[in-house]
Amino acid sequence: MERIAVIDFETTGISPSSSCRATEIAVVILERGQIVDRYQSLMNAGVRVPGFIEQLTGISNAMLRSAPPAERVMNEVNEFVGTTPLLAHNAAFDQKFWDFELGLIRRTRLQKFACSLLLARRLMPAAPNHKLGTLTSFAQLPHTGKAHRAMADAEMAANLTTHLAQELRRTHGLRELSHELLCGLQKVPAAKINDHLKKHRGF
DNA sequence: TGCCAGGCCCTCTTTAGGGCCTT
């Protein structure tokens, strides 16, 4: 599988449109099913972390006071990712924050996001639910650290993506899995997924 | 004032409603 940047944000809430900001970002670079590079940083956007978010993530206001400014972190991580195609678990969420935080440093995203949640709904229909932790357990993948910390979640999403790619190779004979193919696959209705994959057999 | 995400996906559907998933 080609090079993919798997990202995960921790934030103060559910959406930038509700004045929420990012508090931590992690990126792992996936190449041929292996994690070959990593970036992780807390980021201080000058906003307070609500109590229940602090409980959820373990990221406190005290931790963010000594964290680098969000603008510096976004410049660094944008440089780190470059034009590598992106993937996240429930990409709609991370894409909103990626685009918003990049916008604050006057940058624009150039690449597409693939979504391991949409892929897992199609390729792991028997899972009890499609939360990242549940899918990790269901597929017997390693738990990578404290859930709801950016690096642990980015690594879990990367492992899940590798697992999905292996399953596609095993069950549908797909050889080379591109980010473009994953982006196409996540839009195909679940009932038509097998027909769609037959067209790509041997790729 | 009062509200506060939003796209996906299923079904008791399509002139809609509600659960899932992310923090």
Side-chain angles (χ1 to χ4, degrees):
Chain A
M1 188 163 58
E2 70 177 312
R3 189 177 168 91
I4 292 177
V6 182
I7 80 164
D8 187 80
F9 274 110
E10 302 307 319
T11 71
T12 61
I14 215 70
S15 175
S17 64
S18 305
S19 303
C20 301
R21 293 291 303 273
T23 56
E24 187 179 44
I25 185 167
V27 182
V28 299
I29 303 295
L30 203 51
E31 235 175 55
R32 290 182 291 278
Q34 300 290 323
I35 293 172
V36 298
D37 208 353
R38 289 174 168 80
Y39 177 97
Q40 180 273 327
S41 181
L42 290 169
M43 48 203 281
N44 184 353
V47 292
R48 275 197 70 76
V49 181
F52 78 99
I53 296 283
E54 186 172 334
Q55 287 289 316
L56 179 72
T57 65
I59 297 171
S60 65
N61 288 296
M63 288 163 71
L64 292 184
R65 271 196 290 276
S66 56
E71 295 76 15
R72 189 199 308 170
V73 173
M74 287 308 298
N75 269 300
E76 278 180 8
V77 72
N78 188 48
E79 190 75 17
F80 179 79
V81 168
T83 57
T84 306
L86 291 159
L87 179 144
H89 195 71
N90 196 13
F93 174 85
D94 291 278
Q95 183 180 316
K96 273 189 301 190
F97 280 96
W98 180 261
D99 290 350
F100 180 79
E101 296 289 346
L102 270 193
L104 294 178
I105 58 166
R106 299 184 180 184
R107 302 290 179 90
T108 306
R109 173 170 54 91
L110 301 172
Q111 62 273 66
K112 285 186 189 173
F113 264 90
C115 178
S116 56
L117 168 64
L118 295 182
L119 290 166
R121 278 182 178 157
R122 286 159 175 76
L123 301 173
M124 298 172 72
N129 62 55
H130 296 89
K131 294 178 185 176
L132 185 56
T134 304
L135 292 168
T136 293
S137 299
F138 186 73
Q140 298 182 306
L141 300 171
H143 283 269
T144 49
K146 186 188 179 306
H148 298 298
R149 285 303 298 265
M151 181 53 78
D153 285 0
E155 288 186 352
M156 274 197 283
N159 291 337
L160 175 63
T161 302
T162 299
H163 171 77
L164 293 172
Q166 286 169 346
E167 284 298 292
L168 282 169
R169 274 193 286 273
R170 186 178 66 79
T171 57
H172 290 86
L174 301 186
R175 272 184 250 146
E176 193 54 41
L177 284 161
S178 67
H179 184 267
E180 193 67 32
L181 175 63
L182 297 180
C183 285
L185 206 51
Q186 71 192 31
K187 294 179 187 165
V188 177
K192 295 184 177 173
I193 202 84
N194 283 329
D195 289 343
H196 182 84
L197 285 166
K198 278 178 192 166
K199 294 179 197 164
H200 291 86
R201 191 180 296 275
F203 275 55

